[in-house]
Amino acid sequence: MFRVGIVGCGNIFPMHAYPVNELSCTELVAVCDIKEDRAKAKAQELGCKYYTDYKEMIDKENLDVVHICTPHYMHPLIAIYAAEKKVSVLTEKPMSIKLEDAENMINAAKDNNVTLGVIFQNRYNKGSQLIKKTLESGELGKIITGKLSVTWDRSDEYYTNSDWKGTWDKEGGGVIIDQAIHTMDLMRWFIDSEIEYVDANISNRAHEIIEVEDSAEGVIKYKNGIYTGFYAINYYGYDAPVEIEIYCENGIASMVADKATIKFKDGRTLIADQDPNEVFNYGNVKSYWGVSHVKQIKNYYHSLTNGTKPEITGEEAYKTQKMICAIYDGGKEQKRIIF
């Protein structure tokens, strides 16, 4: 049995706590949040201890794994502290705000022989899996180009209700690092090549109360010659379905929300979407959460049990982190970032 603690009892907490509570190989022994009422309520709900100091929890509870569900800037602080105490880590995206911190997280895990995993659960959606598998099979032939768009709604109220969202020092950015990062990660994973350069624009066009960007667009050129374009805003009227399209020699792979459609030039079509019968109860949360968190968390603990690496390691997530940081560096300085 892996003894598990979770730091951060906010919105994403149930996606970690309930799967950990259900797995046969894990025991949720403690939760932690700086807001004591929140930590206490979650501990009572799940039948475990609670703390308001993550260091105290890690020091006292003889944990095997810590899940990190805190504001972005805290991810490396907690991950490195846990690793130095010989505790493995599964953190929500993004790994960090600064690229150097992500490197330090990877090194701390290596130096202490613990496992660092990073949540990018959308890779486990059936549509994502179909596109990845079909691209890898070679059926679609060479990838020629790709594009993606994320147009969501994050109102002023969304930001005023948070003590860390919309800030450079705590969130690390806006629409890219928080909303679009999953779609950006999927595209990079699909292309499966090192990046040559990132050329991006970022700006705040519709929010008066935040420091960070609410719009971003640009191009990413990969070393295999492929160009992909991206467009992201979070001042749209609603959370429109994300869109990805990859144009290939033998057809087009596209994704709208979680549904993937692959149309071959020879007339064949492949489709994959969420299975309505595949559900998981995360407690009293929004209904749109699927089962992909559960799948990634299961993979992580399967890797710990078998002494192998999880599918999304710190090193794998670092590739996306480097891309995200390049968008910000280039967008702020208005220059192309060469890798």
Side-chain angles (χ1 to χ4, degrees), residues 4-239:
V4 181
I6 302 177
V7 187
C9 297
N11 292 338
I12 204 69
F13 170 86
M15 281 77 243
H16 290 253
Y18 279 84
V20 166
N21 235 20
E22 291 287 325
L23 287 174
S24 60
C25 65
T26 54
E27 179 190 3
L28 181 60
V29 297
V31 298
C32 177
D33 198 288
I34 58 171
K35 297 174 181 175
E36 185 174 9
D37 57 337
R38 196 153 71 172
K40 187 175 182 180
K42 294 302 181 185
Q44 289 175 342
E45 181 183 330
L46 292 154
C48 64
K49 296 180 185 178
Y50 77 89
Y51 290 83
T52 56
D53 183 331
Y54 72 87
K55 292 180 179 179
E56 185 183 2
M57 181 182 76
I58 291 169
D59 292 345
K60 287 185 175 178
E61 291 298 337
N62 189 30
L63 300 175
D64 298 299
V65 180
V66 166
H67 290 233
I68 303 175
C69 302
T70 63
H72 301 166
Y73 75 103
M74 290 296 296
H75 293 181
L77 298 174
I78 300 167
I80 292 167
Y81 187 84
E84 289 175 346
K85 298 288 182 174
K86 311 300 181 185
V87 178
S88 290
V89 173
L90 182 59
T91 181
E92 270 293 330
K93 59 75 186 168
M95 289 182 76
S96 61
I97 292 171
K98 298 176 182 176
L99 196 59
E100 181 184 2
D101 288 338
E103 293 168 1
N104 292 338
M105 290 165 71
I106 291 168
N107 291 333
K110 276 184 185 174
D111 292 345
N112 293 281
N113 196 30
V114 297
T115 299
L116 172 62
V118 182
I119 293 289
F120 278 111
Q121 80 277 1
N122 286 5
R123 293 192 188 187
Y124 291 82
N125 295 348
K126 287 183 181 296
S128 306
Q129 291 282 317
L130 174 66
I131 290 176
K132 181 67 171 176
K133 179 182 174 183
T134 309
L135 288 169
E136 286 182 337
S137 74
E139 279 187 276
L140 279 164
K142 182 182 176 183
I143 298 172
I144 297 169
T145 191
K147 63 177 180 177
L148 68 87
S149 68
V150 179
T151 54
W152 285 3
D153 174 31
R154 294 296 181 268
S155 63
D156 284 347
E157 184 183 15
Y158 168 85
Y159 288 106
T160 54
N161 286 338
S162 170
D163 54 9
W164 63 280
K165 296 275 189 180
T167 63
W168 286 115
D169 62 332
K170 291 184 173 66
E171 189 176 23
V175 66
I176 287 293
I177 205 166
D178 203 342
Q179 287 88 50
I181 188 170
H182 283 294
T183 313
M184 301 288 293
D185 173 72
L186 283 179
M187 180 66 88
R188 189 200 60 73
W189 184 53
F190 291 151
I191 301 298
D192 193 24
S193 170
E194 291 185 24
I195 294 171
E196 182 176 322
Y197 68 75
V198 170
D199 198 329
N201 293 306
I202 61 171
S203 60
N204 179 357
R205 291 181 172 151
H207 290 88
E208 293 184 4
I209 63 168
I210 63 173
E211 304 168 1
V212 298
E213 90 289 354
D214 61 13
S215 61
E217 64 81 27
V219 62
I220 295 169
K221 186 186 179 187
Y222 292 86
K223 288 185 178 178
N224 60 6
I226 296 168
Y227 291 88
T228 64
F230 64 91
Y231 173 72
I233 60 172
N234 66 3
Y235 54 82
Y236 199 56
Y238 75 108
D239 287 358

Side-chain angles (χ1 to χ4, degrees), residues 99 202 324-335 337:
L99 196 59
I202 61 171
I324 297 300
C325 287
I327 290 170
Y328 284 119
D329 291 344
K332 289 174 182 177
E333 298 171 24
Q334 294 188 313
K335 69 176 187 180
I337 302 297

Side-chain angles (χ1 to χ4, degrees), residues 231-303:
Y231 173 72
I233 60 172
N234 66 3
Y235 54 82
Y236 199 56
Y238 75 108
D239 287 358
V242 301
E243 296 184 32
I244 290 176
E245 183 178 280
I246 301 173
Y247 176 58
C248 306
E249 283 180 316
N250 301 331
I252 295 176
S254 62
M255 182 180 292
V256 178
D258 295 328
K259 183 178 180 179
T261 304
I262 299 175
K263 294 185 177 180
F264 293 94
K265 290 182 178 178
D266 63 11
R268 288 180 298 135
T269 300
L270 302 176
I271 295 174
D273 201 355
Q274 283 188 328
D275 181 351
N277 298 314
E278 197 175 26
V279 295
F280 185 85
N281 180 15
Y282 295 105
N284 185 26
V285 297
K286 293 177 182 177
S287 61
Y288 63 68
W289 290 101
V291 296
S292 294
H293 260 91
V294 182
K295 290 179 179 179
Q296 184 171 353
I297 290 168
K298 281 183 177 178
N299 171 263
Y300 179 82
Y301 283 102
H302 179 78
S303 75

